[in-house]
């Protein structure tokens, strides 16, 4: 609103400092780290989702192993305005460079992403994450994410290790996917 523009200008100035003090070692300054397979790429991720997840790390409600090992201690030091500034910074970066395609995996992955798996009660991933997997508000961007990270999160949802708010939506879906199907869809998403 009318009163927030000064605060926003202040936050945007401090965002690179926050990111460079806190996030860049793993996520890189622009959130497009191609080298750490199990670290999510945050470039162009929705700011709503990043904010929500940082708060879930901070209050312990997201408790998959990397969350508790790495993100819980880091987020303890972050204020609300720092969380917002970091989320907006990463959201404003250009999307990550897609990974190389794999014809066999990607054909199966595309089918699951666009159509779901009807007989297993799996809806089309695109119905929430968008036709290009660019995400929207609380639904995260999956396009260009590392395949290893996506697969690890699907496994965490399936096993119940990831039990934050989003698990309510994702656990029943991941539970009905086979390891091969999860691998295929994770690979396909990484190429978008």
């Amino acid at each position: 609103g009318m009163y927030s523009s000064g605060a926003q200008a202040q936050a945007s100035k401090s965002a690179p400092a926050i990111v460079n003090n806190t996030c860049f070692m793993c996520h890189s300054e622009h959130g497009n780290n191609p080298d750490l397979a199990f670290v999510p790429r945050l470039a162009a991720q929705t700011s709503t989702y990043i904010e929500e997840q940082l708060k879930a790390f901070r209050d312990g409600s997201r408790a998959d192993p990397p969350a508790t090992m790495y993100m819980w201690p880091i987020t303890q030091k972050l204020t609300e305005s720092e969380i917002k500034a970091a989320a907006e910074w990463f959201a404003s970066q250009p999307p990550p460079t897609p990974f190389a395609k794999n014809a066999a995996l990607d054909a199966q992955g595309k089918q699951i992403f666009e159509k779901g798996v009807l007989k297993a009660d799996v809806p089309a991933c695109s119905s929430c994450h968008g036709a290009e997997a660019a995400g929207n508000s609380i639904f995260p961007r999956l396009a260009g994410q590392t395949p290893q990270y996506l697969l690890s999160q699907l496994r965490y949802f399936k096993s119940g290790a990831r039990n934050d708010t989003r698990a309510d939506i994702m656990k029943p879906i991941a539970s009905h996917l086979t390891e091969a199907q999860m691998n295929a869809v994770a690979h396909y998403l990484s190429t978008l």
Side-chain angles (χ1 to χ4, degrees):
M2 197 164 82
Y3 299 105
S4 64
S5 59
Q8 278 170 336
Q10 191 54 45
S12 64
K13 265 184 238 151
S14 59
I18 294 160
V19 168
N20 283 322
N21 287 330
T22 312
C23 322
F24 86 102
M25 292 275 297
C26 296
H27 295 283
S28 80
E29 188 183 359
H30 299 284
N32 192 0
N33 190 344
D35 301 322
L36 295 175
F38 289 95
V39 170
R41 293 166 135 194
L42 301 179
Q45 184 54 274
T46 76
S47 60
T48 310
Y49 184 74
I50 296 175
E51 253 188 88
E52 177 192 79
Q53 293 306 305
L54 285 170
K55 290 174 185 176
F57 291 135
R58 190 176 63 181
D59 69 22
S61 60
R62 180 168 168 185
D64 49 280
T68 51
M69 269 191 302
Y70 300 108
M71 291 305 300
W72 185 81
I74 289 167
T75 50
Q76 295 311 298
K77 302 182 194 77
L78 294 176
T79 65
E80 295 293 302
S81 64
E82 287 173 330
I83 282 176
K84 192 171 176 51
E88 287 171 359
W89 169 263
F90 284 121
S92 71
Q93 302 306 308
T97 314
F99 286 86
K101 295 189 182 305
N102 171 319
L105 274 182
D106 295 339
Q108 187 191 4
K110 183 178 171 80
Q111 174 77 18
I112 296 166
F113 178 75
E114 291 179 354
K115 307 269 191 318
V117 186
L118 206 57
K119 61 179 185 290
D121 283 331
V122 174
C125 315
S126 60
S127 59
C128 290
H129 295 276
E132 306 296 316
N136 180 23
S137 179
I138 60 164
F139 297 104
R141 175 188 180 86
L142 305 176
Q145 195 51 270
T146 82
Q148 297 91 335
Y149 178 76
L150 291 172
L151 181 57
S152 73
Q153 294 309 304
L154 285 168
R155 287 172 176 158
Y156 289 144
F157 283 128
K158 186 172 186 165
S159 71
R162 184 166 167 187
N163 59 351
D164 56 286
T165 347
R166 296 299 139 232
D168 299 345
I169 299 170
M170 284 304 303
K171 185 176 172 47
I173 296 170
S175 300
H176 293 134
L177 289 170
T178 66
E179 183 71 11
Q181 287 170 329
M182 291 193 296
N183 188 49
V185 79
H187 200 278
Y188 171 68
L189 289 164
S190 77
T191 70
L192 297 180

